[in-house]
């Protein structure tokens, strides 16, 4: 083989390796890994993140947005006297909790939609019923208007608008939130298939 042919082979080999390296870099940036594993979508309008909040958990401690920054978490809405979708939702949420309760960067936030009834002691008893440790599964109460605004404008789990004290949010959706406050998925908490997907997506998000 001539020296010229060898030089051509070397040149095109280097060129091909460079192209593959660049393609891998692009794939990693767009999809999350060199092998092309897709990143989870970012929901909401461009730049949307969960707004600030201040609620009280089942131990009477104040929880704010600062307490969830840097954490991956799942948010839901329920009320303790619900006999419809809530028991099934929280039975399914127990599956999520069992999978990730030992992960230091993971939380569950369960917001009451009936703060008038769901006092701190009521939420404490409800949390204990579900085996929830307050270090990483918070049952939250607070201002009804603020709770509802967060559901609709922050977590995107309800498409209504606040209409006053008679207003009521009753939603089956779980929201998956990343470490920067972006919504990365919505899942029907009453459907096991959706909950299993949520469990898988949490793992994917932890790998991003």
């Amino acid at each position: 083989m001539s020296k010229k042919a060898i030089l051509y082979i070397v040149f095109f080999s280097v060129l091909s390796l460079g192209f593959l390296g660049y393609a891998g870099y692009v794939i990693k940036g767009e999809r999350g890994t060199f092998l092309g594993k897709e990143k989870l979508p970012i929901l909401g309008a461009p730049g949307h993140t969960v707004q600030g909040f201040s609620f009280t958990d089942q131990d009477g401690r104040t929880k704010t947005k600062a307490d969830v920054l840097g954490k991956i978490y799942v948010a839901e809405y329920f009320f303790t006297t619900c006999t419809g979708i809530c028991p099934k939702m929280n039975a399914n949420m127990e599956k999520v909790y069992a999978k990730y309760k030992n992960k230091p960067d993971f939380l569950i936030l369960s917001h009451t939609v009936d703060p008038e009834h769901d006092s701190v002691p009521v939420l404490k008893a409800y949390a204990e019923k579900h085996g929830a440790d307050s270090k990483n599964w918070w049952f939250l109460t607070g201002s009804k208007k603020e709770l509802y605004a967060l559901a609709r404008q922050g977590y995107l789990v309800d498409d209504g608008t606040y209409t006053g004290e008679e207003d009521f949010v009753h939603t089956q959706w779980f929201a998956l939130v990343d470490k920067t406050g972006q919504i990365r998925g919505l899942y029907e908490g009453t459907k096991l298939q959706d909950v299993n997907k949520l469990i898988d997506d949490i793992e994917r998000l932890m790998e991003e």
Side-chain angles (χ1 to χ4, degrees):
M1 186 179 293
S2 70
K3 186 175 179 180
K4 187 175 181 179
I6 292 172
L7 287 173
Y8 274 121
I9 291 170
V10 170
F11 173 77
F12 284 109
S13 295
V14 171
L15 188 65
S16 297
L17 287 172
F19 176 77
L20 287 173
Y22 177 74
Y25 173 80
V26 171
I27 290 170
K28 189 176 190 305
E30 292 295 322
R31 295 175 172 253
T33 70
F34 180 81
L35 296 176
K37 186 175 182 180
E38 290 189 13
K39 287 184 177 181
L40 296 176
I42 298 171
L43 306 185
H48 175 82
T49 59
V50 176
Q51 67 262 38
F53 59 84
S54 180
F55 299 129
T56 304
D57 76 359
Q58 67 264 41
D59 287 338
R61 298 174 301 187
T62 299
K63 298 295 185 182
T64 69
K65 184 174 181 178
D67 295 306
V68 300
L69 286 177
K71 308 278 189 181
I72 292 167
Y73 68 97
V74 178
E76 66 155 350
Y77 280 76
F78 80 105
F79 58 109
T80 61
T81 56
C82 173
T83 57
I85 62 175
C86 302
K88 187 169 186 179
M89 288 167 60
N90 281 320
N92 284 334
M93 191 68 87
E94 286 182 28
K95 296 179 174 66
V96 180
Y97 184 62
K99 176 73 175 179
Y100 294 108
K101 65 181 179 180
N102 295 320
K103 297 288 187 180
D105 294 335
F106 178 76
L107 298 168
I108 296 173
L109 277 59
S110 296
H111 307 72
T112 180
V113 298
D114 186 13
E116 185 174 342
H117 176 270
D118 290 342
S119 63
V120 168
V122 170
L123 291 177
K124 180 74 171 177
Y126 192 86
E128 290 174 351
K129 176 182 172 183
H130 289 280
D133 189 324
S134 60
K135 73 178 181 181
N136 52 14
W137 189 349
W138 305 341
F139 288 81
L140 300 171
T141 188
S143 155
K144 182 177 181 179
K145 186 174 183 179
E146 186 180 358
L147 286 161
Y148 283 28
L150 195 66
R152 290 163 171 162
Q153 298 161 23
Y155 297 125
L156 312 178
V157 294
D158 184 272
D159 59 2
T161 55
Y162 187 71
T163 57
E165 287 306 309
E166 299 303 315
D167 193 19
F168 196 70
V169 167
H170 200 204
T171 175
Q172 75 274 31
W173 294 98
F174 294 165
L176 176 59
V177 186
D178 69 16
K179 292 181 178 182
T180 66
Q182 298 177 118
I183 309 301
R184 304 300 295 274
L186 294 173
Y187 311 81
E188 288 198 59
T190 56
K191 294 183 177 180
L192 188 56
Q193 182 178 355
D194 262 33
V195 174
N196 287 336
K197 185 177 188 305
L198 168 60
I199 289 170
D200 290 342
D201 284 353
I202 292 168
E203 187 72 32
R204 290 172 61 190
L205 193 54
M206 287 180 173
E207 294 173 355
E208 283 192 7

